[in-house]
Amino acid sequence: MVLQSTWFFLWGLLWAIFFITDGFDFGVGTLYPFLGKSDTDKRTMIAAIGPLWDGNEVWLITAGGVTFAAFPKVYGVMFSTLYTPLMLILFALIIRGVSFEFRDQIVSPVWTRVWDTAIFVGSVTPALLFGVAFSNIFMGIPFNGDGVFEGNLFTLLNPYALAGGTLFVLLFTLHGALWLCIKTQGDLQKRTIKAAHTLWPILLVVAVTFLGASWFATDLYGNYIAQPVLFSIIAITVAALLGIRYFIHKEAWFKAWFASCATIFGATFFGIAGLFPTLFPSSLDAAFSLSAFNASSSTLTLKIMLGVVLIFIPVVIAYQIWAYSVFSHKVTEEDFYIH
Amino acid sequence: MDVVMLSRLQFAAATMFHFLFVPLTLGLSLLLAIMETRYAKTGDKTWLRMTQFFGKLFLINVALGVVTGITLEFQFGTNWSRYSEYVGDIFGSLLAIEATAAFFLESTFIGIWIFGWKKLSARAHAGVMWLIAFAGSLSSVWILIANAWMQHPVGYTIRNGRAELTDFVAIITQKYALLEMTHMLSAAYMYSAFVVMGISAYHLLKRQEVDLFTRAFRLALILGTISTAVVTLSGDMHGVNVTENQPAKLAAMESHWETSTRAPSFLLAIPDQKNEKNLIEIGRIPGLLSLLGKHDINAEIIGLNDIPKDERPPVLITSLAFRTMVSSATLMIFLMIWAFVKRNKLLEHPRLLMAMVCAIPLPLITIEAGWVLSEVGRQPWIVYGLMKTSQAASPVASSQVLGSLIGFVVVYGLLGFVGFWLMIKHAKNGPAPVSSTL
């Protein structure tokens, strides 16, 4: 029980880290066509995330891999019921990843425009669809006792899920804007600050709406009512969200970005705490739902993997912090991708 | 077509495409690390320019290899959910370890290498490439351990209706895994050596950057010679291992129907699986199959007719893949010997240089054929002797899989075309002029 519960929270933690890290580079990609007026702007924006996005994306692979290792049944049922949105996410990540590499290989306006579009589409699509996917998980997904999905793509594109998708896009876009405030200067930074000022109130409205809608659309609050101390997660998240506004006003970009990290972390754990111990609820019958207790790996595997994760994840975090610190300065033309 | 067949085609397309790029990243990172270390130690700008020239090729391969790798992991869940549920206890852990212990290292440090030229000292920057080379090979080791387990499952028990882990050490140290690692990694290094030698030969033929490309050719030749020897030896040992553990695969490789002692090989044989015989048999060499499979010319080799019909792999594909792998590998061995003999007088042997340019795709063909042999030859099993591929697919609609398969073919086709075009263009252009180097 303790081992399986530990893994449940590690599972949530890995998704939260993925959203925090890859989230800001999705956000920068989303802002890319709006803030990148000149080619220098665009190359500055790419250089702001260029050294880090690849390492960030491995958090997705790890979150997926850990689901596979610790909760194989969840892995199979989750990924096959969410087949189409996941495939769209994969295609988006593929074209986005190569765009950064290919964009500056050829000097031609058409060529550049193709990859510029790919950067935007490849960044906003995963943000939106991860939001849609997780909102559907919060609601429960129509799959039967045999793990067969009894809905279609439009079942997944319901109003609550679309609100969740919008929330993710806004969270990541603001997160990316704050990262750009750290990494840029001059005119581009001024425009980014303006964008952050515009985005924040919209995010606040959508976040509050989503929190409220969750009361009606999901069973997440069940755990909160049983354990009122959990409401502190929501309180901390809201405080972090207000903190973003405060630090934007103070032009303290690092602090604003950290507040944004805390907001995303809190938003993820708002759902994780509400779901516990279910990882993947069925909306057809609670008996079909997959939980940390009925869908986990063997004790031996959970123990070995716990050892692996406890040793390597801190090491990974250490060298990624080092990587971030190497590239924490303002971007100049010296940092552009050299060909 | 049914979901299983569509999912198999999709996985084959995604894996084979992924593997057009990955092997080069494994060996080229090692060569780049050596080149850059030479620069860091001597300050000789030729090594720096060489690093940057081949570095760009490396990065195009990395970009395509990385983005297509994510799809592979996720496909186990999307398309092979029954398989994932049945073996996740073991197979899932191996993939998760690969990500945490190796792939993180590689991805994080590649970003640092690309953008860190002016942030790090020359030594530190070269050190980053050593880490990338180490992490890349370590990452493939974990993937190969996972594949070896599908080929020859060990260290498990069937409990709770699935395969559960009992002996982790047995899984990571089994002979099948060790041979597969040795064979695959040396093949990847060999490919990288051929690419560097081929591109260098192209420029040497044109008498461009003679100093730089002579050095690059000779450096790659060292890696190429060693890896060619290792790939051959490990391939031979692997053959014996397959004979022992996967008799159906061995019989299909050589389209060997009747169990016999002193079993023959043929230079060419076209099998007819339905009628359980060969349509064409040319160049019969008695005893060769016994020799390859058991290192004994008189040994008995089990024929396909002694294997139940529903446990035989597709014979034609398996045997063609085997023949393709062996014949192109033989060609490469001769080329490597030729290059080794003439290594000090490269410019005087334009025919050798021309041959090396033409040989660039050979190792890639060999590697892809080797994987087809390994994976198609394992059929009808997804985990040998334990689970059939037909039981492994997800309960999804075939229209969904058809849609994603078409998506893969279109997107990968375009990206592959663009990727190879960029690489060839860059390879022909040669290194940046001295003035524009850092």
Side-chain angles (χ1 to χ4, degrees):
Chain A
M1 285 287 266
V2 176
L3 193 58
Q4 287 155 324
S5 307
T6 308
W7 267 108
F8 179 90
F9 284 101
L10 277 174
W11 175 77
L13 180 68
L14 287 169
W15 281 106
I17 300 179
F18 163 62
F19 293 142
I20 289 172
T21 53
D22 227 13
F24 75 81
D25 57 62
F26 288 148
V28 172
T30 307
L31 289 165
Y32 183 76
F34 304 105
L35 296 181
K37 300 263 186 234
S38 65
D39 194 57
T40 310
D41 290 345
K42 288 181 175 163
R43 297 182 69 167
T44 305
M45 291 174 83
I46 293 176
I49 55 173
L52 305 170
W53 74 267
D54 193 3
N56 292 345
E57 210 159 285
V58 184
W59 289 102
L60 172 62
I61 299 175
T62 305
V66 156
T67 314
F68 198 174
F71 306 106
K73 190 145 193 202
V74 175
Y75 185 73
V77 176
M78 181 192 278
F79 282 37
S80 58
T81 52
L82 299 174
Y83 191 94
T84 306
L86 265 175
M87 283 295 165
L88 292 173
I89 287 175
L90 289 178
F91 285 122
L93 293 179
I94 289 169
I95 57 165
R96 182 179 110 103
V98 294
S99 303
F100 297 127
E101 180 62 36
F102 285 180
R103 183 188 184 271
D104 294 326
Q105 300 268 6
I106 306 280
V107 184
S108 137
V110 179
W111 175 269
T112 315
R113 202 173 311 137
V114 167
W115 300 113
D116 280 352
T117 312
I119 289 175
F120 170 71
V121 174
S123 299
V124 75
T125 309
L128 179 73
L129 291 180
F130 274 117
V132 168
F134 272 83
S135 308
N136 273 294
I137 295 174
F138 296 164
M139 292 171 75
I141 287 181
F143 67 90
N144 66 24
D146 211 22
V148 180
F149 182 50
E150 295 189 354
N152 56 45
L153 185 59
F154 298 100
T155 323
L156 301 175
L157 296 176
N158 55 71
Y160 176 73
L162 290 174
T166 313
L167 176 65
F168 268 50
V169 171
L170 285 167
L171 270 174
F172 294 165
T173 310
L174 180 61
H175 198 39
L178 296 173
W179 179 257
L180 280 180
C181 289
I182 297 174
K183 293 286 289 181
T184 59
Q185 48 199 345
D187 200 38
L188 177 59
Q189 194 197 31
K190 273 187 201 134
R191 270 181 280 130
T192 314
I193 295 172
K194 217 174 134 195
H197 275 286
T198 319
L199 282 165
W200 188 84
I202 307 174
L203 172 64
L204 181 71
V205 172
V206 174
V208 171
T209 312
F210 186 79
L211 271 178
S214 299
W215 182 273
F216 302 101
T218 75
D219 296 331
L220 291 180
Y221 285 101
N223 281 349
Y224 288 80
I225 292 163
Q227 297 284 340
V229 64
L230 288 177
F231 278 104
S232 58
I233 297 177
I234 300 177
I236 292 168
T237 311
V238 173
L241 185 56
L242 297 173
I244 298 176
R245 181 70 188 80
Y246 175 76
F247 291 121
I248 289 177
H249 183 72
K250 288 230 156 193
E251 307 215 328
W253 306 122
F254 265 112
K255 286 178 183 166
W257 185 73
F258 280 121
S260 174
C261 291
T263 309
I264 295 173
F265 193 87
T268 313
F269 267 84
F270 158 70
I272 298 293
L275 281 173
F276 182 82
T278 310
L279 289 118
F280 203 63
S282 168
S283 60
L284 300 180
D285 186 337
F288 303 152
S289 295
L290 303 174
S291 80
F293 306 125
N294 71 11
S296 75
S297 280
S298 65
T299 311
L300 179 61
T301 295
L302 291 180
K303 278 186 183 160
I304 291 177
M305 288 311 297
L306 190 62
V308 168
V309 167
L310 290 182
I311 293 168
F312 283 103
I313 294 297
V315 175
V316 170
I317 291 176
Y319 61 64
Q320 287 208 341
I321 288 176
W322 178 71
Y324 276 60
S325 72
V326 171
F327 298 103
S328 63
H329 58 282
K330 298 272 182 199
V331 176
T332 64
E333 292 208 6
E334 277 215 328
D335 299 302
F336 288 173
Y337 191 0
I338 301 160
H339 285 288
Chain B
M1 259 190 281
D2 64 345
V3 172
V4 177
M5 197 60 209
L6 288 167
S7 297
R8 282 178 66 184
L9 284 175
Q10 179 171 301
F11 203 88
T15 324
M16 290 178 77
F17 187 79
H18 178 62
F19 232 71
L20 290 173
F21 307 100
V22 172
L24 191 57
T25 65
L26 297 176
L28 203 49
S29 53
L30 194 60
L31 289 171
L32 285 169
I34 298 171
M35 293 170 189
E36 207 183 344
T37 306
R38 295 255 176 112
Y39 164 65
K41 279 195 174 159
T42 62
D44 181 346
K45 293 266 179 185
T46 308
W47 291 113
L48 176 64
R49 292 175 62 233
M50 195 191 300
T51 310
Q52 292 186 333
F53 171 67
F54 287 106
K56 190 165 160 181
L57 276 183
F58 169 73
L59 292 176
I60 295 173
N61 276 277
V62 165
L64 286 160
V66 165
V67 296
T68 54
I70 304 177
T71 348
L72 289 184
E73 186 205 24
F74 277 41
Q75 268 191 92
F76 288 112
T78 52
N79 293 74
W80 303 100
S81 66
R82 300 296 190 214
Y83 167 79
S84 301
E85 290 162 28
Y86 194 67
V87 303
D89 204 67
I90 295 161
F91 191 85
S93 328
L94 297 171
L95 293 198
I97 295 174
E98 185 264 342
T100 37
F103 195 55
F104 258 128
L105 194 63
E106 188 182 7
S107 298
T108 307
F109 281 89
I110 281 173
I112 295 173
W113 194 79
I114 300 175
F115 288 89
W117 286 99
K118 290 178 184 162
K119 302 278 166 246
L120 302 177
S121 69
R123 266 164 193 269
H125 199 263
V128 166
M129 187 46 85
W130 280 107
L131 274 177
I132 294 169
F134 167 74
S137 290
L138 183 66
S139 158
S140 64
V141 160
W142 284 104
I143 298 298
L144 294 171
I145 289 172
N147 180 268
W149 190 83
M150 297 169 81
Q151 303 283 353
H152 186 239
V154 294
Y156 71 97
T157 182
I158 302 297
R159 202 189 298 142
N160 302 320
R162 62 180 181 182
E164 291 196 352
L165 179 69
T166 55
D167 188 349
F168 185 72
V169 177
I171 291 171
I172 61 173
T173 56
Q174 71 152 320
K175 200 175 171 192
Y176 207 113
L178 299 177
L179 283 171
E180 209 177 314
M181 284 171 209
T182 317
H183 195 53
M184 183 63 252
L185 278 177
S186 52
Y189 296 157
M190 178 171 160
Y191 171 44
S192 314
F194 265 93
V195 168
V196 172
M197 286 192 289
I199 293 171
S200 302
Y202 174 85
H203 290 283
L204 289 177
L205 272 173
K206 297 197 156 191
R207 298 287 192 275
Q208 295 161 346
E209 301 275 358
V210 170
D211 175 36
L212 186 150
F213 283 114
T214 307
R215 287 195 220 177
F217 191 104
R218 288 201 194 142
L219 175 65
L221 183 66
I222 299 171
L223 182 70
T225 312
I226 298 169
S227 54
T228 305
V230 176
V231 87
T232 313
L233 283 173
S234 62
D236 174 59
M237 289 162 74
H238 206 18
V240 176
N241 193 46
V242 164
T243 314
E244 196 182 317
N245 296 312
Q246 297 177 312
K249 186 189 273 183
L250 184 87
M253 271 160 67
E254 287 283 14
S255 41
H256 177 61
W257 294 97
E258 297 297 335
T259 302
S260 61
T261 54
R262 203 180 258 257
S265 283
F266 301 95
L267 287 180
L268 182 68
I270 304 290
D272 175 0
Q273 188 152 9
K274 210 181 238 169
N275 297 312
E276 306 185 328
K277 64 181 176 75
N278 291 334
L279 289 175
I280 304 171
E281 290 181 347
I282 298 170
R284 183 188 165 94
I285 306 167
L288 183 59
L289 179 55
S290 296
L291 185 68
L292 290 175
K294 294 197 171 165
H295 284 182
D296 170 6
I297 196 162
N298 291 313
E300 185 184 74
I301 300 287
I302 297 170
L304 285 162
N305 286 341
D306 283 326
I307 290 158
K309 263 196 177 175
D310 60 353
E311 292 184 10
R312 292 177 198 166
V315 183
L316 181 65
I317 301 178
T318 312
S319 66
L320 284 181
F322 176 64
R323 264 153 238 280
T324 310
M325 178 183 81
V326 170
S327 43
S328 55
T330 311
L331 206 56
M332 286 191 290
I333 294 171
F334 284 118
L335 280 173
M336 196 59 87
I337 295 172
W338 187 12
F340 188 79
V341 174
K342 306 291 182 198
R343 66 188 181 282
N344 291 325
K345 293 172 279 190
L346 292 172
L347 290 175
E348 294 161 34
H349 295 277
R351 252 187 274 170
L352 167 67
L353 294 175
M354 186 62 87
M356 294 311 287
V357 177
C358 299
I360 294 177
L362 265 188
L364 203 49
I365 295 168
T366 319
I367 290 174
E368 295 278 351
W371 273 115
V372 171
L373 160 64
S374 172
E375 300 298 286
V376 176
R378 190 190 60 229
Q379 303 302 325
W381 303 101
I382 191 164
V383 182
Y384 197 79
L386 194 62
M387 184 186 212
K388 287 207 168 154
T389 310
S390 55
Q391 304 163 324
S394 300
V396 293
S398 59
S399 58
Q400 282 181 303
V401 186
L402 183 65
S404 58
L405 173 60
I406 292 170
F408 274 113
V409 172
V410 172
V411 172
Y412 280 13
L414 285 171
L415 290 184
F417 177 76
V418 172
F420 277 105
W421 176 68
L422 283 176
M423 284 192 266
I424 292 169
K425 182 169 128 18
H426 174 68
K428 281 186 173 172
N429 279 349
V434 183
S435 56
S436 73
T437 325
L438 293 171

